[in-house]
Amino acid sequence: MAYIYPAPGNAISQVTLNLKLTGDSNGLDVPALRDVTLNASNDVFTWTSLDSASKQQVATTATNSLSMNIVLDQLTFFGDSAATSEDAQTAGIFGLSNDKNLVDFELFMGDESDGSTGKTISGKGYITGLAPTVSADSPVWVSPITITVTGDYTVV
Amino acid sequence: MRDEIIEKIRLSGLGSLGVSNELPFDDNGQALFIKNAKQVYVDNPQTSQEPLFQTLNGGCNVNNSTTTVSVFFAIDAKNKPADYETNIAKLQSVKDSVTFEGSTSRLVFTSTEYAGDLLISEIEYEFTRIT
């Protein structure tokens, strides 16, 4: 048994999320992830037949998405105009959402507890669900982000 | 920060109290502010840091950084100076004039205790910012 073991603060084994646009080499590393949820929700087609007391069900297509909460960082949220040949860095998370860009994402889930290298889940999607929030007793802005995935996940 | 606090205290005009540049160290087992009554001593700033938001990619933790500075002075408990309350108020108000970039809160706490016939007052400034 080897559990997936994200180690916050350990640059090699911590959870990371990278967003790329076509042409980017390094892309945009999303900082200050508070939590991440990987959603893979299959739709189910249900039917009944006269000769069965129970419903029949079969899984059909999945709705995939990645949701998380982050603490807002100025450069990564609104873009870094000084970034060269890195479109995702220039646009920032808000720009990628505003422009409805299709992004390639890579989520590294953390190493295994036995020290083996962990898995990376990748795919393509759109950034949605931004809702930056601040309150009187929260001195920083936080925002949920959803990456609405188009197509399958790839696990490497 | 300590130098600025000393300067602000001096500028506030404390009447019956003087202001010392020395740290409130112990001299032969006796703190300087006890040995030299009616002198205000400002201690070194103490800092602490605690995570405000833990993040999964830990290099990006959002921390609350707190800097605390204590000020001490002693007066004769039997003959409390007439301007004692005024001086306490002046010392408390210094918290708002000290430069502390990005501060999210400025607090001040005042406490007193007796040592023999002396009334020792401690004013503690607490400044907080995000790092």
Side-chain angles (χ1 to χ4, degrees):
Chain A
M1 186 77 76
Y3 299 105
I4 301 173
Y5 178 64
N10 183 335
I12 297 169
S13 61
Q14 66 188 3
V15 174
T16 57
L17 176 67
N18 183 269
L19 305 174
K20 282 194 183 83
L21 285 175
T22 305
D24 279 359
S25 52
N26 297 317
L28 170 70
D29 288 321
V30 180
L33 295 165
R34 296 200 63 200
D35 57 79
V36 179
T37 306
L38 187 69
N39 302 294
S41 175
N42 284 329
D43 288 343
V44 176
F45 181 76
T46 305
W47 74 96
T48 56
S49 56
L50 291 170
D51 60 350
S52 173
S54 302
K55 288 184 178 179
Q56 308 294 315
Q57 294 193 330
V58 64
T60 58
T61 51
T63 302
N64 298 329
S65 67
L66 206 58
S67 55
M68 68 212 79
N69 285 285
I70 64 164
V71 182
L72 265 57
D73 166 69
Q74 176 100 338
L75 285 181
T76 49
F77 194 75
F78 289 108
D80 180 4
S81 57
T84 53
S85 65
E86 292 292 337
D87 292 338
Q89 289 180 14
T90 308
I93 294 165
F94 185 77
L96 293 172
S97 169
N98 206 35
D99 297 340
K100 282 82 177 168
N101 291 121
L102 182 63
V103 297
D104 294 336
F105 68 85
E106 284 185 354
L107 173 70
F108 178 65
M109 296 182 68
D111 281 345
E112 292 180 65
S113 52
D114 65 2
S116 307
T117 302
K119 298 288 189 188
T120 298
I121 293 189
S122 57
K124 291 178 183 294
Y126 296 93
I127 293 177
T128 61
L130 297 182
T133 305
V134 75
S135 61
D137 58 357
S138 170
V140 289
W141 286 78
V142 294
S143 178
I145 299 179
T146 300
I147 299 176
T148 302
V149 178
T150 173
D152 294 331
Y153 288 123
T154 304
V155 181
V156 179
Chain B
M1 169 177 263
R2 180 175 176 270
D3 290 342
E4 188 185 358
I5 288 176
I6 291 173
E7 184 62 23
K8 300 284 184 193
I9 291 174
R10 280 217 173 92
L11 288 173
S12 68
L14 293 182
S16 63
L17 296 176
V19 185
S20 173
N21 275 325
E22 289 184 295
L23 287 164
F25 60 87
D26 282 3
D27 185 19
N28 290 326
Q30 198 172 38
L32 276 190
F33 52 85
I34 294 176
K35 197 172 180 182
N36 303 318
K38 295 189 178 180
Q39 283 290 311
V40 174
Y41 287 86
V42 180
D43 206 352
N44 255 340
Q46 310 289 318
T47 58
S48 64
Q49 207 176 66
E50 60 181 15
L52 182 64
F53 289 113
Q54 296 272 27
T55 59
L56 287 165
N57 33 2
C60 308
N61 273 351
V62 180
N63 296 305
N64 235 352
S65 177
T66 303
T67 302
T68 307
V69 180
S70 294
V71 172
F72 304 91
F73 68 93
I75 56 167
D76 184 354
K78 296 191 294 288
N79 299 299
K80 198 170 79 165
D83 60 358
Y84 175 75
E85 314 296 347
T86 313
N87 285 339
I88 290 288
K90 284 178 180 175
L91 287 169
Q92 287 175 331
S93 69
V94 165
K95 77 171 167 49
D96 295 319
S97 59
V98 174
T99 309
F100 195 76
E101 291 298 328
S103 75
T104 53
S105 81
R106 292 164 180 260
L107 303 174
V108 61
F109 306 96
T110 306
S111 60
T112 59
E113 63 175 306
Y114 293 98
D117 60 352
L118 292 175
L119 173 67
I120 299 166
S121 301
E122 177 182 355
I123 288 91
E124 184 180 275
Y125 306 112
E126 187 179 292
F127 307 95
T128 307
R129 68 175 154 212
I130 304 298
T131 55

